[in-house]
Amino acid sequence: MPAYNSDFNSDPNPPRLIGNFPLLPLRTKTRGPAYVLPFPSPPLPAHESPEIESESYDILDEVLRLFRANTFFRNFEIKGPADRLLVYGIWFVSDCLQKIKPNASARDAGKEVNNLALDLNFAIPGDPGFPLNQMYEPPRDRQDAEQLKLYMAQVRQELASRLLARVYEEDESKPSKWWLSFTKRKFMGKSL
């Protein structure tokens, strides 16, 4: 059985690419270069995603929806640019879950995960420390590299806040054991 690919690969409006990494629109309040999608009306709780058909549904909702299913796969066939962002998002969510201790409150976990998300010392495609550089093209120039880094930082911050809302959906004093059960799994045997 193959891993689940992104539904955004079939989007009729091709995304802007830096290298071959897509800059897809996001539903976010975090500052950055991404085109901002409208928020659902009426507003949803932080731990819920809009329906897939909704104009508010974005790639980060898909990352969180497919994370648990895709973490079991060691191989992943890239079928479009959105898959590259999906893979990166799954790796980042995995790193975030490793920062959450089984007895940590939402506040303590928030500090750890947000520190990871806000840390600007991370590798982008083309950097020697980036996993699977053979699947990602490096940015053309320094300006594109800066734009990509800003976009990836925006993705990391938004993913961190959405993940925390889901992990602490039921109880703010302890994380969901169901989410933490995936801390030992490495998608494609790699991590960021």
Side-chain angles (χ1 to χ4, degrees), residues 4 14 17 19 29 39 53 68 70 89 120 131 139 182 184 188:
Y4 297 97
L17 298 175
K29 291 180 183 170
F39 282 81
E53 301 81 29
R68 294 178 294 239
N70 277 351
L120 294 177
F182 290 88
K184 300 284 187 247
M188 299 171 65

Side-chain angles (χ1 to χ4, degrees), residues 13 91 101 144 158 172:
N13 304 321
W91 283 333
K101 305 285 185 264
D144 275 359
E158 186 62 30
E172 291 209 354

Side-chain angles (χ1 to χ4, degrees), residues 170-189:
E170 294 171 9
D171 185 357
E172 291 209 354
S173 64
K174 64 179 192 271
S176 163
K177 290 179 185 176
W178 201 74
W179 274 95
L180 290 189
S181 66
F182 290 88
T183 56
K184 300 284 187 247
R185 305 222 47 97
K186 287 190 177 191
F187 178 53
M188 299 171 65

Side-chain angles (χ1 to χ4, degrees), residues 7 106 126 154:
D7 294 332
Q154 188 178 15

Side-chain angles (χ1 to χ4, degrees), residues 31-50:
R31 290 180 50 152
Y35 174 78
V36 178
L37 293 174
F39 282 81
S41 180
L44 293 171
H47 63 273
E48 289 184 22
S49 294

